[in-house]
Amino acid sequence: MCSVPRSLWLGCSSVAESLCALRCLQSIPSTRLSNGPVVGSRKRPSEGNYEKEKEHCIALFDQWSEADQVEFVERLISRMCHYQHGHINSYLKPMLQRDFITALPAQGLDHIAENILSFLDARSLCSAELVCKEWQRVISEGMLWKKLIERMVRTDPLWKGLSERHQWEKYLFKNRTSEVPPNSYYHSLYPKIIQDIETIEANWRCGRHNLQRIQCRSENSKGVYCLQYDDDKIISGLRDNSIKIWDKQSLECLKILTGHTGSVLCLQYDERVIVTGSSDSTVRVWEVTTGEVLNTLIHHNEAVLHLRFANGLMVTCSKDRSIAVWDMASPTDISLRRVLVGHRAAVNVVDFDDKYIVSASGDRTIKVWSTSTCEFVRTLNGHKRGIACLQYRDRLVVSGSSDNTIRLWDIECGACLRVLEGHEELVRCIRFDNKRIVSGAYDGKIKVWDLQAALDPRAPASTLCLRTLVEHSGRVFRLQFDEFQIISSSHDDTILIWDFLNVSTNGQSEGRSPSRTYTYISR
């Protein structure tokens, strides 16, 4: 044991006394503890024999195996004091560091170095380029800025949309050829993309947009009840019993489909077919390119108010208070699987995924059903009046009602997460993505809401509505939106395209933009 009196190292009441005790410790001769390091001061360097003894030790050390060398050094270190350990640690630290990004290419493993750096985000990639010339070379020859942009395009719809609209998509997802620009092109492209994204987000927040208007009216038409669009076309269902297909660029009417004997209240299309529901109680299936009627489903007793189809399954709902679940083997082979009954009023809207079918009704309730078994699961209660619209995705249901409110629900537990207030009349249509909720109402207004803030119980209600857009002169019946635009239809017989990407700022007031109008008069 150490012979230092306890009073020396426990009884120190000041820094000065502690330093004095330390000097006393250093003056005590070194005493090796059993199986432990030496306690005490450093020994004086050996006299004349030190160099010879050192060389002899090194010569012996070099003759031993690696395992023996390690064991010897461990025993040697165990005999040293704390100061010596610190000195050795400082000596070893730089020896243990490895610049693997520089070392890997030297071993012919450039691809591994590139793969490691390809996981960096933009800020880290910028920093990595400044480390040294070798790191910069790996990033440049590995086209890592190109790979970063490609990763964003694959995972983010906003990036994908910008790549298509600004036509730099043609420089992505290609092997190294003469057509592919150098890495410096992608390095300079990245901040431009970020600037475009920030501009689009600012346009959404401030309501800046370019407005295009399609006039759909004819002698007996009084509204555009439903629509869906893609990059090339807009397909709309009208009160005059027709389906009109519009060119999205020129806004001209390309085709008119007729056959329903009542207003076209709902529709959905994919690359093969258009499926429509009507107040004539039927569901019709049309071929997209030719407009030919492929199938007519007669089941519901009253108007078909809404429908959805995906992955061989279709769900329709009706004013007759029922929900029909259909198997779609092909456009001409559609069979009724099950009828779901439980609502006490017209079923206005349905949505579904692989797990749940969700329906909303004029009876003020939202009902959840199992997609696989069609069995009832639960009811979501909260709206004070009938429910006109909803969308369901993942765990979230967003609904709009004639009580003028929007509610957010957790479908798994049935809890209402938030109530959004602001519309002055019935909320007729609603859509949401990862960032926003967009709603349209009978007050003629379209409101843009912050979805993430709405899901945060700490967010004040006053911060949730980002913008109110007012251009329709009648009730808003249907809308759809993406990262760049909203397309809406109304009782005023118009389809409006609200473009938040291509916004001209010359001489415009905030939230208003010049409009281009195309009028179609049916013969």
Side-chain angles (χ1 to χ4, degrees):
M1 289 291 294
C2 177
S3 61
V4 182
R6 284 176 58 87
S7 59
L8 182 63
W9 50 274
L10 288 179
C12 300
S13 60
S14 67
V15 174
E17 291 179 9
S18 300
L19 291 173
C20 180
L22 180 62
R23 282 194 293 271
C24 291
L25 281 171
Q26 290 175 337
S27 66
I28 297 172
S30 300
T31 304
R32 183 165 57 87
L33 301 177
S34 59
N35 298 323
V38 175
V39 178
S41 63
R42 287 170 284 162
K43 292 183 179 179
R44 290 184 297 105
S46 301
E47 300 295 337
N49 293 332
Y50 167 70
E51 290 296 331
K52 292 181 180 180
E53 292 171 352
K54 180 180 72 173
E55 292 301 326
H56 180 63
C57 288
I58 291 174
L60 291 173
F61 184 85
D62 289 340
Q63 296 174 14
W64 300 336
S65 67
E66 288 187 3
D68 292 340
Q69 289 174 342
V70 170
E71 181 188 4
F72 176 76
V73 171
E74 286 176 350
R75 292 190 63 181
L76 199 62
I77 290 174
S78 70
R79 300 175 64 84
M80 294 179 178
C81 69
H82 184 71
Y83 165 81
Q84 291 169 313
H85 291 158
H87 188 78
I88 291 172
N89 183 57
S90 299
Y91 180 74
L92 286 176
K93 264 187 177 178
M95 296 178 66
L96 295 174
Q97 293 172 349
R98 286 290 182 272
D99 180 0
F100 55 89
I101 297 300
T102 300
L104 285 169
Q107 301 295 321
L109 300 173
D110 299 64
H111 61 288
I112 296 179
E114 292 170 9
N115 191 45
I116 292 169
L117 294 179
S118 70
F119 289 95
L120 298 180
D121 58 21
R123 184 184 297 274
S124 302
L125 200 57
C126 280
S127 300
E129 285 185 310
L130 301 177
V131 171
C132 64
K133 289 183 179 180
E134 182 61 20
W135 283 47
Q136 187 180 45
R137 183 195 67 78
V138 171
I139 292 169
S140 177
E141 294 186 3
M143 302 292 283
L144 296 192
W145 283 102
K146 174 175 176 284
K147 291 177 180 177
L148 175 60
I149 294 172
E150 289 173 343
R151 186 167 78 239
M152 297 302 297
V153 169
R154 278 194 300 267
T155 57
D156 191 320
L158 181 53
W159 283 71
K160 180 172 176 56
L162 281 174
S163 72
E164 295 167 350
R165 285 164 172 78
H166 289 174
Q167 298 183 354
W168 40 265
E169 183 187 36
K170 60 187 176 183
Y171 299 122
L172 303 178
F173 307 107
K174 291 183 178 179
N175 295 326
R176 300 184 186 188
T177 64
S178 58
E179 299 177 4
V180 177
N183 187 64
S184 57
Y185 167 81
Y186 302 97
H187 192 172
S188 60
L189 175 62
Y190 191 92
K192 294 176 184 176
I193 299 170
I194 296 300
Q195 185 176 7
D196 286 342
I197 291 172
E198 290 173 350
T199 300
I200 293 167
E201 295 297 329
N203 290 342
W204 276 96
R205 287 193 304 272
C206 299
R208 289 190 295 265
H209 60 273
N210 180 56
L211 188 69
Q212 295 176 288
R213 188 188 307 265
I214 300 174
Q215 298 282 1
C216 306
R217 59 176 171 263
S218 59
E219 292 180 4
N220 62 346
S221 174
K222 297 181 181 178
V224 185
Y225 281 134
C226 53
L227 63 82
Q228 184 182 336
Y229 72 87
D230 57 38
D231 291 339
D232 303 315
K233 61 184 176 295
I234 303 170
I235 301 182
S236 58
L238 280 73
R239 191 174 180 181
D240 68 2
N241 310 346
S242 70
I243 299 118
K244 290 188 171 70
I245 303 176
W246 310 85
D247 184 288
K248 193 163 178 295
Q249 305 307 317
S250 68
L251 308 185
E252 295 180 355
C253 185
L254 302 175
K255 193 174 297 181
I256 303 174
L257 311 182
T258 58
H260 279 298
T261 57
S263 300
V264 181
L265 304 178
C266 54
L267 67 81
Q268 184 185 341
Y269 71 85
D270 61 14
E271 65 279 356
R272 298 185 303 160
V273 297
I274 307 168
V275 182
T276 57
S278 168
S279 59
D280 65 11
S281 306
T282 68
V283 174
R284 288 181 180 251
V285 182
W286 316 73
E287 211 281 329
V288 167
T289 54
T290 65
E292 175 189 359
V293 177
L294 302 175
N295 205 339
T296 301
L297 306 178
I298 302 173
H299 164 75
H300 289 289
N301 297 322
E302 295 189 64
V304 179
L305 301 179
H306 200 253
L307 63 86
R308 298 293 295 167
F309 71 88
N311 302 321
L313 185 71
M314 179 168 68
V315 181
T316 61
C317 62
S318 170
K319 191 177 179 182
D320 65 13
R321 306 182 185 182
S322 74
I323 302 158
V325 183
W326 309 79
D327 289 309
M328 298 181 68
S330 72
T332 57
D333 183 7
I334 302 175
S335 57
L336 183 65
R337 178 197 295 186
R338 186 82 173 267
V339 177
L340 309 181
V341 179
H343 284 292
R344 301 188 308 275
V347 185
N348 294 318
V349 59
V350 289
D351 204 353
F352 73 92
D353 64 8
D354 292 339
K355 188 172 186 181
Y356 294 126
I357 297 170
V358 186
S359 59
S361 168
D363 65 9
R364 308 179 184 183
T365 68
I366 297 169
K367 291 192 180 293
V368 182
W369 319 76
S370 168
T371 303
S372 58
T373 66
C374 294
E375 296 299 320
F376 171 75
V377 177
R378 67 178 57 90
T379 299
L380 311 183
N381 290 298
H383 279 295
K384 302 297 188 295
R385 301 185 67 182
I387 302 164
C389 56
L390 67 73
Q391 182 184 351
Y392 157 55
R393 192 180 70 192
D394 299 327
R395 290 183 61 135
L396 184 63
V397 175
V398 181
S399 59
S401 166
S402 55
D403 64 12
N404 304 348
T405 68
I406 297 163
R407 286 179 180 256
L408 283 66
W409 311 81
D410 183 332
I411 197 171
E412 295 294 348
C413 65
C416 180
L417 306 174
R418 173 76 80 163
V419 180
L420 304 179
E421 298 179 308
H423 281 294
E424 298 165 8
E425 294 186 48
L426 178 151
V427 182
R428 181 65 178 81
C429 49
I430 199 153
R431 304 298 293 171
F432 70 88
D433 62 10
N434 294 327
K435 300 176 185 175
R436 307 176 184 91
I437 302 170
V438 182
S439 59
Y442 277 6
D443 57 13
K445 298 174 182 177
I446 293 173
K447 287 184 177 288
V448 181
W449 311 80
D450 186 332
L451 174 59
Q452 297 306 318
L455 292 172
D456 182 355
R458 299 167 299 179
S462 59
T463 65
L464 304 182
C465 184
L466 300 176
R467 209 71 194 176
T468 300
L469 306 174
V470 184
E471 286 289 349
H472 282 295
S473 59
R475 298 171 170 179
V476 181
F477 284 143
R478 195 61 54 90
L479 62 80
Q480 183 184 341
F481 79 98
D482 57 39
E483 291 78 9
F484 309 103
Q485 63 199 328
I486 302 170
I487 299 185
S488 58
S489 66
S490 168
H491 189 269
D492 63 14
D493 299 330
T494 66
I495 297 172
L496 298 186
I497 304 173
W498 314 72
D499 185 351
F500 296 93
L501 174 61
N502 303 301
V503 177
S504 172
T505 57
N506 296 329
Q508 296 175 23
S509 60
E510 186 174 283
R512 305 282 293 194
S513 296
S515 64
R516 178 162 68 99
T517 301
Y518 179 84
T519 303
Y520 177 79
I521 307 297
S522 63
R523 299 288 188 241

